Amino acid sequence: MDVKPLGNAIEGDLKTGTLEGQAFGLYANFRGNGNNDAYGGMTGLPLAFVAGIRSDDADKGYDESNTRIYKSRGDDYQYDANDTWLMQQYWSDHYRFIVDCNQLIYFADSLKLTDQPSLINVAEARFFRAYAYFDLVRTYGEVPLNLTASSNFGSGNIPKSAVSAIYNQIDVDLTYAATHLPTKNYWGDKYPGRLTNGAAKTLAAKTKLYRQDWAGALASCEEVIISGEYSLYNSYSEMFTEVGELCNESILEIQNYVNDNGSVAVFGSYTERAGIRGTGIFDQGWGWNTPSQALVNAYETGDPRKTATILFRGSTDGYGNTLPESLELPYWNRKTYGDPARAKKTNFRKAIWVNVRLLRYADVLLMAAEAANELGGEANTTKALGYLEQVRARARGNNATILPPVTTTVKSELRAAIKHERRVEFGMEFERFYDLVRWGDALQVLGPLGYTNRCRYYPIPNSVIQQSNGVITQNPEW
Amino acid sequence: MTKKKSIQLKGNYWKSIFLIGAFISIIPLSAFGQNTVSLSLENVSLTELFKAIEQKSNIRFSYLNQDIDTQKDITVSTKNEDIESVLQKVLQRKGYSYQRTGNTIAILKKNGVPTTNSKKISGLVKDEKGEPLIGATIKLKDTNIGTTTDVFGNFSLDNPTNVSLLEVSYIGYASNVYRITDKNNIQIVLEENSKSLNEVVVIGYGESSKRDLTGSIVKIAGNSIANRPNNNAVSSLQGKVPGLSIVNTGQMNQAPDVRIRGTVSLSKTSPLYVVDGIMSDNMDMVNTSEIESMEVLKDPSSLAIFGVRGANGVIIVTTKKGKSGRLIVNANSSVGLKTIADAPQMTDREGFMTLYNEQRFNNSLPLYQKYGLYDANTNWIDVIKEPSPTVYKANVSVAHGTDKNKFYMGINVNKEKGLILYEDFQKVGISVSDELTPTDFLKCGFGLNGYAASLPQYHDFTSALKSPPIVTPYNTTESNYNSLPAGLGSNDIENPLMSVQARKYTSVATEYNFVPNFFFELKFFKKLTFRTNYYVNVYTKQQRDYTPLSQVYNMETSAVEVKNDKTAVSQFSNLDLRFQQEYLLTYKEVFGKNNITLLGGLTTDYQNYKQSSASVKQKDSGVENAIPNDPRWWYVGVFPYGDQTSYWAGSDQYEKKTLSFLFRSLYNYDGKYLFNASFRRDGSSAISPSHRFQNFWAVGGAWVLTEEEFLKSTDFFDNIKLKASVGQLGNQYTGSNYRYLYYPVYTNSTQAVFGDNVVNALSLSYQPDKNLRWETVTSYEGGVESDMLKAKLHVEANYYQRKTDDLLTTITDRTTGILYAMNAGSIRVSGVELQGAYNDKILNNQLNYTVSANISTMSNKVLSVWKAGESYIGGSVGQNKTEAGYPISRFYGYEVEGIYQTKSEITNGLDVSALGTPQPGDLKFKDISGVDGTPDGKVDSYDQTTIGNPTPKFTYGFSGNINYKGFDLGIEFQGVYGNKVWRAWGNEGNGVNTYNFREARLGRWTGLNTSNWEPRESTTSGWNSINSSYFIEDGSYLRIRNVELGYAVPPGFSKKMEISNLRLYVNVQNLKTWKQNSGFTPEAGGSALSSGIDYGGYPIPSIFSAGFNLTF
């Protein structure tokens, strides 16, 4: 009577590689599955909503009546704890992903695996767990800190932990990850773009920046800088095309893949959600999270990053096509745009093969600049100016008439210059909203759009609170 | 056959039976013998002696009174003495002898001459309509002497022992016993079984007289549905069987949504089909014309014997078999035409322009400029519908039988066109059976049901309802299909004509299903029967699909738009093999007034499923490199067109085993007190070893009041039976993702990407519950059956309740995201079923009529789900909610109480900010509740409520039939009441595109008091598409399900043509439906958690057909 599955492995069948297989699963789930939107809450449309649309630099985008509610929720800060779609998915996918990480760590612990590949797998899990908690703590403040791999139903129903406790765990995980993750060379050509200790240090620097731990942030950044593993890519605009994927500047990307004839396609959902909503070759997606007028206005005259970030209605797409005047919106996201010729070749209309850049070396430089300026002192100010200039110089290219070097040594002026630089360097890259909040600028900048102080945190989904039977409580201001 | 030969044969059969692994136990002959008798008589006559022996044994005497000595001079005192030896002594002394035939003993004069000298008898067997019954069995009672009627219903046979009683039987008719009075012209009229109190019904693993059962089984004769133009015979039962709800689909060869006594499981709602013994999820392998009878089993005492497969009810299908008698050839054919009766009303060009202009105005957009370019007035339904959707059915069968061998063979052909262009369906079926009775104690046989079908390429009307009427479907100047206008469908719907025409016949799909079976049956001493059944079910589907190049003409840009520039081919094939075997031992015994039938058995089921699929694309784009649009090239290995780097392949496979033990006892005392009990123990490979076996049982009792003295004398009642039963049944369906519940697999559905390196990730598909069990359904039934007025009136009433515990379900733990398979939750269904029928003959018995009616209620309540306060959300937009305390998959949303007429009504009205900002002309929702359960002046999520129940309050049917001088007319009505349907079509668009409007939208709000139901025309807010009662329509309907007028050509005419029977008929199915909703049909089925949603896809046609039934 005992019948085992045919052609499919079950627990105990696989003698080796199970841990690495599970680690690959983390990469897959981090990316999400664009076919059925599984795990879309990690880096799909929910990310575009919390980190993109909520900022002053991006709008909800294409106007669909049945999703217009997200315009008021995102652009007008009418947060809604009863949202059963995006923010529900954001919450539950993050916790699902955290449990995936917990399970890998638990599995390695229980088998007492100490070989180097296993330690790397554990480090990968810890990096991803830290990443997920960093998302959550930025979005909600206090959240439950679930570190168990328990298989009991309801085991994740635990009370919230303090923000500091969440950050402590992030520190522990990232320290471990920075110690055990290898360098880029270790992965070589077989696993390009796989996690490195540089990625762990970059993320660690960012979490420190959010806590105004300027010294810690600067130290982490400089470890990355000194390692020499990363450098700025020479062309800002090319970096966001297929050619620039996994370039020398890249630290972490969501990797999507479609082979030449479209028979193999592995991808997350973000690029399609953000793609142009048009017809024919411009039918590339849902048209969510589009550049705002404010972002268009933010660029200095002649800054080539403007056209590298934004596609303009009626202008060229860089691949020999012109965006039709009939498109509903004037500005579209170029960083998710794919070559229509490749779309035709693969038979995928949406640019689902485009990688999404999450961490890059320019961020390390600008974080270092910011931390150094805040620390103050002549040496640090010089450092800050130097790091800032590296980023501006790359953007400037050979055109000496644009983007003059910043020379001010006045702390507040330099701070303003760095803030401006972050905004235009990372346009449409999920930094702006959280930057405004951590700088304390959100009320001033976003207030006119409807933002109030309580909007720094999103309310926890009511469904989560209801089903927790009072264990998880709503954010105090909601 | 000589005696020697017969012994040899016997030996061979014994051997073969041992070979097939049967077990046999020998029971001493004497234990069951009826050959001895104990008598104590003093001074009695011969006839008195005979009567005394008849009372104490099953011996019957045959003699003529005038020939028998009447002297009372016999004294006998015996104890367990052989009857024949008693007789011998007495008769010898009196000068008589005897001859025994079976259990009949004929008394002969001493010279051997029978006490009567008439030997030959003859007569005619007819049905109530006066038509001859061909192949009816005539037997001298308690003997083996018999014959069958010929093609004119005549019979004649020798009666050597002067038996006085004739037993006459015919399948589908009540068997009867006639006293032989006239030897040359015995006129026998048999009545159809439906009116019979002694109707024999097929029950699980055997058959029984309906009279002896304590449950509710409804039997439907095959001939009452054979002429219906349905591929699936279950469709024809709609409205005929109380407690059986059927929601049909108009698509050819698609199974209807069938539920028996409501929904008691979350995963599977359809019943088990048992076709000639083989258990299946459908009855596709049998053609409607080959059905002898169908039985619907509903109650616990009938279902428990099916154990883990019985909870959803069982439909037993028995196909036609050979009968003893001469060769009978049957031919039937019909041809019909389908029409769409209730097409939804969509706006025409003028209406569309009115509404679209208004929409753009209200959306603050400039008026649409391209009406000049798009100058058509197209009705898209008419464009893609098939002009002559015909249904053609034919079958021929040959039956021949002797006492020793009964053979049947039928071949049938169905050819049908769908309601949309290029939907062609063809099916050829075969049914063969042979039953051999080489000796008294051995029976064996084999059968084969099967078909080969060529499947249609299915389409539906969804995009025809959406496409705007202003577009000309085909551009003759450009020789291309016009694309739909930008913003009016071009992004998400294709030109409907192009969808059906440009891809016509690009799918070659055939399926084959063959179900051979064979059995051996051994009879010991007439009381003990051992039977083994072997069934194999082989199903395979082979499909090849071709994706042609496609392009449309865009009138706005005057350019050809390439939609697909690479052809592709995909191939699919599967093989589903099932093997079922049964070993059954049946024991029947009568002692005194006690009648008992015991059944014990063992059955196993093995299933092995495999499928593989693959695809390939063309190498380089362009017409010149395309794989040709010709089935000859539609293979994955196509060369040289195929691009080898584009190969894709996949497979799916599983196997399953079950082992079951079963036991049943049917007992009755004097036909008065009935008691049934059944037990089954099921084991399955899908369940963890610690819970692998589970027990199911039922007990039932009944009391036949009319067998009691106080009612026996009344003429009014023929039969009153009070009955009740209780049992526990199971449900084993686990869904296609959880075939190995105990062994969660690593999924290969996720991959990680590193550059161009795609690597497979490993994750367990779900968390297994080691304590997982099958669902348990506890079921009760109580009822009464009664026949009155000489069986003219039949009424039946039942109450049932079914409660499922440990619902098998998969739940994602939202706190961790882990998927769990678990037993959780409980559902209860209860209802009342009433049915009645009256038949009578008037006008000198020349006009025979029947009227019947039935009604069933069903009320359904979810008692709990996996956790208090949780619910299942189903449906296309989450409109079905299943939660504790409410009916399953109820419609959930806001209650509309009208339309905001003015701005001040909004500002002074309820606080609706939680939902958005309405404008005048938008729907106004009711404040029903609040945080503390009472209206709070706000409309928010607390105000969502039950806005409809997709389950009807009751379903009903009624019908009438009359027969007069060869003409017959039958009419059947059927309906449901009290359910709601969700209108999921006709909703104007998705914000990206505007679709065509329902005509009802012309009555939209355009200003103060212009409408209080249809909201304003605008798409700038999602307000009016919030789930609300605006989308709810009444699902109640009444339908003339079937009308059939037939004429039997008089025997006088047909006899000349060597035809024994010829009937011509016309049939109309779904002649008229009185319905309340606006879609094609009120019938909207679904699954347990998502149902009652009208997607507007496909109509249920009216079908007009004409045909004949011919018998040689």
Side-chain angles (χ1 to χ4, degrees), chain B residues 496-691:
Chain B
L497 182 65
M498 173 173 155
S499 297
V500 300
Q501 206 166 51
R503 276 193 285 282
K504 66 176 172 181
Y505 306 127
T506 53
S507 175
V508 183
T510 48
E511 60 179 15
Y512 306 90
N513 189 185
F514 288 94
V515 187
N517 70 77
F518 56 97
F519 74 90
F520 293 87
E521 187 177 299
L522 279 168
K523 239 184 173 137
F524 309 99
F525 329 119
K526 299 209 165 174
K527 291 180 178 173
L528 198 58
T529 311
F530 175 74
R531 186 174 165 118
T532 68
N533 294 313
Y534 298 88
Y535 305 94
V536 184
N537 189 345
V538 187
Y539 171 89
T540 175
K541 184 177 178 183
Q542 310 287 328
Q543 185 164 344
R544 294 184 290 136
D545 288 300
Y546 172 72
T547 312
L549 300 174
S550 64
Q551 53 177 35
V552 285
Y553 184 71
N554 187 333
M555 302 223 289
E556 290 161 56
T557 57
S558 301
V560 171
E561 276 179 18
V562 175
K563 289 282 173 187
N564 176 36
D565 66 353
K566 268 190 182 177
T567 55
V569 166
S570 66
Q571 259 182 290
F572 168 90
S573 79
N574 69 7
L575 178 65
D576 189 2
L577 194 71
R578 283 162 185 249
F579 181 57
Q580 179 186 328
Q581 48 186 328
E582 293 164 0
Y583 302 97
L584 304 168
L585 197 60
T586 312
Y587 171 65
K588 275 188 190 193
E589 176 65 296
V590 178
F591 39 95
K593 291 179 171 176
N594 302 282
N595 300 287
I596 190 157
T597 308
L598 299 176
L599 166 80
L602 168 76
T603 163
T604 70
D605 195 36
Y606 171 76
Q607 183 185 12
N608 186 322
Y609 177 88
K610 298 180 199 80
Q611 76 168 51
S612 57
S613 38
S615 65
V616 67
K617 284 181 180 178
Q618 87 180 61
K619 243 182 219 139
D620 301 305
S621 328
V623 187
E624 62 285 358
N625 302 311
I627 301 168
N629 190 346
D630 174 348
R632 189 190 143 205
W633 298 95
W634 300 347
Y635 295 93
V636 173
V638 57
F639 183 84
Y641 307 102
D643 173 6
Q644 299 194 0
T645 65
S646 72
Y647 281 139
W648 175 89
S651 78
D652 183 22
Q653 56 283 318
Y654 60 91
E655 59 178 347
K656 262 183 185 178
K657 281 180 191 170
T658 61
L659 170 66
S660 313
F661 304 95
L662 43 97
F663 172 78
R664 177 174 59 212
S665 132
L666 304 178
Y667 170 81
N668 75 71
Y669 179 77
D670 202 13
K672 202 187 288 182
Y673 309 111
L674 317 179
F675 179 76
N676 297 352
S678 29
F679 171 82
R680 176 158 163 153
R681 185 168 169 78
D682 275 310
S684 164
S685 62
I687 295 284
S688 73
S690 53
H691 290 76

Side-chain angles (χ1 to χ4, degrees), chain B residues 687-704:
Chain B
I687 295 284
S688 73
S690 53
H691 290 76
R692 186 151 283 162
F693 280 90
Q694 197 170 335
N695 300 333
F696 303 97
W697 57 269
V699 290
W703 178 26
V704 183

Side-chain angles (χ1 to χ4, degrees), chain A residues 9 31 65 68 154 190 255 467, chain B residues 746 751 755 757 813 1019-1020:
Chain A
R31 180 197 65 236
S65 58
R68 175 171 281 227
K190 189 164 186 201
Q255 298 201 48
Q467 86 146 23
Chain B
Y746 282 109
Q751 289 95 27
N757 182 13
D813 178 357
T1019 56
T1020 51

